[in-house]
Amino acid sequence: LTSLSIAAAQENYTPTADNLAARQWFSNAKYGLFIHWGPFSIPGAGEWVMDEKKITVDSYSRLQDFFNPTEFNAAEWVGLAKKSGMKYITFVARHHDGFSLWDTKYSDFNIMNTPYKKDILKQIADECHKQGIKLFVYYSLLDWRREDYAWKTGRTGQSSGRKTQGKWEDYLTFMKNQLTEILTQYGKIDGIWFDGHWDQTNPEGHADRTSRIDWRYDEIYSLIHRLQPQTLIGNNHHLSPFPGEDFQMFERDLPGENTAGLSFQKPSEKLPLETCETINNSWGFNLADNTFKSTETIIHYIVKASALGANLLLNIGPMPNGKIQPEFTERLLEAGKWLEANGDSIYNTTAGYIKPQKWGAITQKGDKMYVHVFKGNQQIQLEGFPFKKIAKAYYLADKRKLSVSLKQKTVTLQLPAETVDPDTVVVLEVES
Ligand code: FHN
């Protein structure tokens, strides 16, 4: 991003009232479903299979002839998200392999040229609108197949036949055309989720960590905001937000942490936050990956993200036939059950006054503080308590009262026994 385009984006962008309302909605929503799916699901080796197995552009194109997800049912996917307590879906409409899951005029590598021949994005968009779930569209900036995209990083490079020299103007025009299709032919789009910026970014330790090419976000972002002003823009560039972006995202880490080595950015104090995570260890369908997180871990992740003021975007990689594997469905529905009973302590809350701890975390809403006590804890001490008085203390689940003490800014919660549920929520009604 050159300083010129930063300046241009800064000058040109004032979020509309609708956009600001959408940001507020987003920061209240707290939980969404990420979907990575497409011809890359066929080999069952994750969405990076083309790069990792060094499959050439020509050979990879053959997958188009095999993609026939006859069992796909948009109503089922959207219904699952809803039942699981999710408020939005972020659908990968085009990943790095460049396959478009909609009827696009601008690339032949698309769903209409598969034996399936039906626009998937359209079915998902219609169903989201019908069921009242917001729709975000993931759009890869980088492309492993196009001749006009100049690859810089990807490991397969030369062996896959990719070009080191592209035609940047042509590629930008292509992206703008595709984004225009998405934003004009599918009704309301609640967000665009960019990924792949880093393919053109100087490596860690390089004196200049900015982009080696100009992605011209000023033009791309203003196009989006012109076509649908409320559409929220996020970009998984792993850096601090650029001008024109409406929310900040993290990958595989809670905001402020960097255990996965992808999050060097400080959490924004101005923009809504989101982090994305997988249920096993893969984004796209992966037959070899059985490292499923437990429902308890997922619940804890939702809680900890909320306690930091962030949404959790939890991923599934459906199978090539369009069905979702039972290991995902079970966990989503179980977490959904927990949310049904405890959602008051998650949706519409803001970050707790302290960060998540080993014993649990805190979320807040108005005069209520929700103390999430994770399994196996009995006594909790909250130091530096920012309120003068606790008017009431009770369990969220059944409103049973609980005695608490507040002395010298320290609250002590003594539970009758070690907790056995993944998360026992205690409500403190406070007076400032
Ligand atoms: O390379 C992608 C990856 O396949 C996946 O889409 C994730 C999701 O956040 N983003 C990229 C890695 O940063």
Side-chain angles (χ1 to χ4, degrees):
L1 194 69
T2 63
S3 52
L4 210 100
S5 62
I6 290 180
Q10 236 153 3
E11 255 172 45
N12 294 340
Y13 185 50
T14 312
T16 61
D18 280 355
N19 186 284
L20 294 174
R23 289 184 192 185
Q24 186 58 55
W25 173 87
F26 184 66
S27 92
N28 288 342
K30 292 296 183 288
Y31 193 30
L33 180 67
F34 208 178
I35 306 179
H36 279 71
W37 187 58
F40 59 65
S41 312
I42 297 171
E47 77 293 352
W48 271 68
V49 63
M50 178 178 174
D51 180 87
E52 286 170 358
K53 300 272 180 221
K54 300 194 179 352
I55 303 173
T56 63
V57 168
D58 282 350
S59 301
Y60 193 83
S61 302
R62 295 168 65 183
L63 281 181
Q64 184 164 245
D65 300 335
F66 309 143
F67 194 55
N68 193 13
T70 49
E71 304 292 304
F72 166 69
N73 180 332
E76 266 174 36
W77 286 16
V78 176
L80 173 68
K82 260 193 113 162
K83 247 183 140 178
S84 306
M86 290 154 154
K87 304 293 181 193
Y88 61 101
I89 290 178
T90 302
F91 180 66
V92 175
R94 174 172 164 271
H95 201 260
H96 311 333
D97 65 359
F99 183 83
S100 304
L101 284 128
W102 75 97
D103 184 3
T104 177
K105 273 206 298 224
Y106 300 100
S107 161
D108 290 338
F109 196 45
N110 81 59
I111 192 69
M112 305 312 281
N113 293 328
T114 64
Y116 183 70
K117 287 193 181 63
K118 277 178 277 190
D119 188 325
I120 301 271
L121 182 62
K122 176 94 177 71
Q123 296 177 63
I124 291 190
D126 287 352
E127 201 53 46
C128 283
H129 296 142
K130 193 168 144 197
Q131 295 198 35
I133 280 253
K134 306 250 186 217
L135 176 63
F136 287 55
V137 174
Y138 170 114
Y139 188 84
S140 175
L141 294 158
L142 86 91
D143 191 300
W144 286 332
R145 295 177 72 261
R146 291 183 65 88
E147 300 242 325
D148 50 9
Y149 180 82
W151 70 269
K152 291 284 182 190
T153 50
R155 273 170 288 157
T156 53
Q158 276 117 350
S159 64
S160 74
R162 283 161 65 195
K163 298 273 192 297
T164 50
Q165 294 299 320
K167 285 191 178 164
W168 203 238
E169 284 304 318
D170 290 1
Y171 187 68
L172 287 167
T173 305
F174 157 75
M175 286 203 294
K176 286 183 200 166
N177 283 335
Q178 281 211 318
L179 287 163
T180 303
E181 284 180 332
I182 293 171
L183 288 152
T184 55
Q185 294 171 22
Y186 295 88
K188 190 168 171 233
I189 300 293
D190 297 287
I192 299 283
W193 208 102
F194 287 110
D195 202 357
H197 166 96
W198 33 265
D199 195 46
Q200 301 286 343
T201 304
N202 285 317
E204 188 67 15
H206 192 283
D208 179 9
R209 275 281 280 159
T210 54
S211 199
R212 285 185 278 208
I213 50 93
D214 187 349
W215 283 108
R216 302 246 288 271
Y217 289 127
D218 51 339
E219 293 171 26
I220 295 176
Y221 290 180
S222 55
L223 170 76
I224 296 169
H225 284 140
R226 185 159 48 74
L227 293 172
Q228 293 208 30
Q230 88 293 337
T231 301
L232 300 178
I233 297 177
N235 190 329
N236 189 23
H237 42 50
H238 311 305
L239 301 165
S240 295
F242 298 159
E245 292 170 7
D246 302 302
F247 65 99
Q248 184 187 26
M249 55 176 82
F250 295 80
E251 180 173 337
R252 289 206 151 131
D253 256 305
L254 292 165
E257 292 182 357
N258 188 13
T259 58
L262 297 167
S263 307
F264 300 91
Q265 68 274 39
K266 273 208 193 107
S268 162
E269 283 170 13
K270 291 193 188 132
L271 298 183
L273 310 176
E274 179 192 69
T275 182
C276 55
E277 185 49 291
T278 47
I279 297 181
N280 51 3
N281 216 11
S282 311
W283 300 101
F285 178 55
N286 192 336
L287 277 169
D289 184 352
N290 291 321
T291 58
F292 305 106
K293 295 175 184 67
S294 66
T295 304
E296 180 173 319
T297 302
I298 293 169
I299 292 170
H300 290 179
Y301 213 79
I302 299 170
V303 170
K304 288 190 270 186
S306 298
L308 289 164
N311 293 0
L312 173 62
L313 180 63
L314 188 62
N315 181 74
I316 54 166
M319 299 188 287
N321 64 354
K323 287 282 178 209
I324 298 165
Q325 63 190 91
E327 294 88 346
F328 291 160
T329 320
E330 276 160 24
R331 286 162 175 78
L332 291 179
L333 292 174
E334 280 167 12
K337 252 197 170 151
W338 181 85
L339 277 163
E340 217 176 286
N342 297 283
D344 277 352
S345 67
I346 299 293
Y347 306 119
N348 306 312
T349 60
T350 52
Y353 85 94
I354 46 167
K355 287 189 175 155
Q357 309 284 314
K358 275 215 171 99
W359 53 259
I362 287 177
T363 52
Q364 293 179 210
K365 191 196 301 178
D367 64 353
K368 292 198 176 83
M369 183 178 282
Y370 299 97
V371 185
H372 298 259
V373 183
F374 292 169
K375 187 168 159 181
N377 288 287
Q378 191 170 5
Q379 197 196 60
I380 308 296
Q381 291 213 312
L382 306 175
E383 284 165 17
F385 197 71
F387 300 100
K388 289 239 154 62
K389 210 180 143 194
I390 298 173
K392 275 187 204 161
Y394 52 92
Y395 294 98
L396 179 64
D398 56 11
K399 310 280 178 285
R400 242 181 329 128
K401 284 197 179 142
L402 186 85
S403 69
V404 293
S405 79
L406 169 55
K407 276 185 208 141
Q408 291 167 340
K409 293 196 168 206
T410 299
V411 173
T412 306
L413 292 179
Q414 180 69 41
L415 292 120
E418 276 189 10
T419 54
V420 290
D421 291 334
D423 177 18
T424 302
V425 186
V426 174
V427 186
L428 305 180
E429 287 192 7
V430 294
E431 280 173 21
S432 44

